[in-house]
């Protein structure tokens, strides 16, 4: 019988720069950032939100289970974190708007 691979590792695919092969599908693993590569705007947004840990928990769960239905607690925690961050941002913008109106 063949051994099953351990579920405690990340799959990282790195193709040579001259390769014509294209990886198929999504591996659900964070890709290693190259030194000359700019950070993805979505990753920047998540980092600034303060919700990166819960986002990475979703990614890790998906890498392990490859089934979003099994990752609902992590998805809900990330959703809650982002909702709270958006509410704080709205309040901050409203305060700034009120302060600007008061100074006119």
């Amino acid at each position: 019988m063949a051994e099953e691979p351990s579920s405690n590792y990340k799959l990282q695919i790195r193709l040579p720069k001259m390769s014509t092969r294209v990886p198929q599908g999504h591996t659900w693993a964070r890709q290693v950032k190259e030194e000359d590569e700019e950070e993805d705007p979505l990753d920047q947004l998540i980092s600034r939100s303060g919700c990166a840990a819960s986002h990475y928990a979703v990614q890790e769960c998906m890498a392990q289970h490859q089934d979003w239905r099994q990752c609902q607690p992590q998805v809900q925690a990330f959703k809650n974190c982002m909702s709270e961050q958006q509410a704080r941002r709205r309040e901050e913008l409203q305060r700034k708007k009120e302060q600007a109106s008061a100074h006119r």
Side-chain angles (χ1 to χ4, degrees):
M1 239 192 317
E3 287 185 30
E4 290 188 29
S6 170
S7 62
N8 293 332
Y9 66 93
K10 290 183 185 176
L11 176 63
Q12 294 182 353
I13 299 173
R14 298 199 82 152
L15 300 176
K17 293 201 184 269
M18 299 293 284
S19 175
T20 58
R21 292 179 44 211
V22 177
Q24 299 296 314
H26 197 293
T27 63
W28 294 106
R30 289 187 354 208
Q31 295 182 3
V32 177
K33 181 179 171 186
E34 291 185 21
E35 291 176 19
D36 60 346
E37 213 178 284
E38 289 186 31
E39 188 173 9
D40 178 47
L42 181 60
D43 287 339
Q44 290 176 346
L45 176 69
I46 292 169
S47 293
R48 286 192 310 266
S49 73
C51 300
S54 57
H55 178 256
Y56 294 139
V58 171
Q59 287 186 320
E60 291 294 324
C61 182
M62 286 299 299
Q64 182 177 4
H65 299 289
Q66 297 184 3
D67 182 357
W68 64 270
R69 294 169 293 188
Q70 294 183 25
C71 300
Q72 286 308 292
Q74 293 87 344
V75 170
Q76 191 62 47
F78 179 59
K79 179 182 174 184
N80 292 344
C81 182
M82 289 300 290
S83 293
E84 291 169 8
Q85 189 277 335
Q86 289 171 343
R88 286 191 302 271
R89 180 74 176 138
R90 275 191 301 273
E91 290 172 6
E92 177 184 334
L93 291 173
Q94 184 63 33
R95 276 195 307 275
K96 286 182 180 181
K97 184 179 176 181
E98 290 170 358
Q99 288 174 350
S101 296
H103 292 294
R104 288 184 180 181

